[in-house]
């Protein structure tokens, strides 16, 4: 692969490849990785030295591949990944709790509720959870086991 760009442009491309592979393969075991993405990341890491970025990657004899250095993992672009992870966590938590509560209501009170009404109810629960979490974070969240409710 041949890439013609500045050092700064290559660093940006490498950041994008790193973030993309992290999203796709970050939760997969070595055996489950989707190789097209991890291979592309390896190609970028291998070229890093050509652009004066050899301080950001190093070859690991133990793993037989290029790895990000501590310096690269502490790079400020990782703040974007952290921000993304945090936003996804809160959005998923709110959505799943609201969906659970809407489905519980439908199962307990109105089993004939329409999909549109169920969705509207879920949105109402989402709004309440968003307000609560914005005001208090996780301070008021509890795990209640069913046998403790009786």
């Amino acid at each position: 692969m041949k890439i013609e760009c500045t050092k700064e442009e290559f660093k940006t491309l490498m950041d994008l490849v790193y973030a993309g592979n992290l999203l796709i393969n970050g939760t997969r075991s070595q055996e489950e990785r989707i190789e097209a993405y991890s291979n592309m990341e390896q190609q970028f890491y291998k070229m890093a030295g050509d652009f004066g970025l050899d301080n950001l990657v190093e070859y690991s004899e133990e793993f037989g591949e290029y790895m990000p250095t501590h310096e690269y993992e502490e790079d400020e672009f990782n703040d974007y990944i952290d921000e993304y992870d945090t936003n996804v966590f809160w959005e998923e938590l709110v959505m799943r709790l609201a969906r659970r509560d809407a489905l519980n209501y439908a199962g307990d009170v109105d089993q004939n509720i329409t999909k549109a009404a169920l969705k509207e109810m879920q949105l109402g629960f989402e709004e309440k959870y968003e307000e609560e979490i914005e005001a208090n974070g996780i301070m008021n969240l509890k795990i209640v086991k069913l046998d403790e409710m009786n």
Side-chain angles (χ1 to χ4, degrees):
M1 176 182 348
K2 184 176 179 180
I3 296 177
E4 293 184 29
C5 58
T6 66
K7 177 180 180 177
E8 292 76 21
E9 290 169 335
F10 184 83
K11 168 69 169 58
T12 300
L13 282 170
M14 195 166 81
D15 293 348
L16 289 168
V17 169
Y18 172 88
N21 191 49
L22 180 65
L23 179 70
I24 292 168
N25 283 319
T27 59
R28 298 178 195 277
S29 69
Q30 184 77 15
E31 298 78 31
E32 296 173 320
R33 284 198 295 190
I34 299 173
E35 289 193 26
Y37 298 99
S38 55
N39 290 344
M40 183 60 66
E41 182 182 56
Q42 286 298 301
Q43 286 187 42
F44 270 80
Y45 286 174
K46 190 174 182 179
M47 291 188 297
D50 298 341
F51 289 89
L53 298 170
D54 45 355
N55 60 314
L56 302 181
V57 296
E58 60 191 356
Y59 188 79
S60 168
E61 294 291 336
E62 179 182 352
F63 295 104
E65 63 183 26
Y66 289 91
M67 309 282 281
T69 61
H70 181 69
E71 181 179 345
Y72 190 41
E73 290 177 336
E74 295 296 316
D75 190 276
E76 68 181 42
F77 95 93
N78 281 289
D79 294 342
Y80 300 128
I81 294 170
D82 293 341
E83 182 181 343
Y84 173 82
D85 287 344
T86 299
N87 287 334
V88 168
F89 169 78
W90 289 116
E91 288 173 10
E92 281 291 312
L93 180 64
V94 164
M95 184 200 62
R96 290 176 188 219
L97 290 172
R99 181 77 176 157
R100 178 207 60 195
D101 290 350
L103 288 171
N104 283 341
Y105 174 85
D108 294 342
V109 178
D110 185 2
Q111 295 175 4
N112 297 319
I113 192 168
T114 65
K115 286 186 179 185
L118 185 65
K119 183 65 176 174
E120 189 65 33
M121 182 182 299
Q122 180 179 336
L123 292 174
F125 281 125
E126 285 179 16
E127 189 174 313
K128 288 179 183 179
Y129 279 121
E130 285 170 355
E131 290 170 5
E132 172 61 31
I133 287 172
E134 192 172 304
N136 300 302
I138 61 170
M139 292 303 297
N140 294 332
L141 290 179
K142 286 185 178 182
I143 303 297
V144 178
K145 295 181 181 178
L146 291 177
D147 59 340
E148 291 177 5
M149 292 176 26
N150 295 330

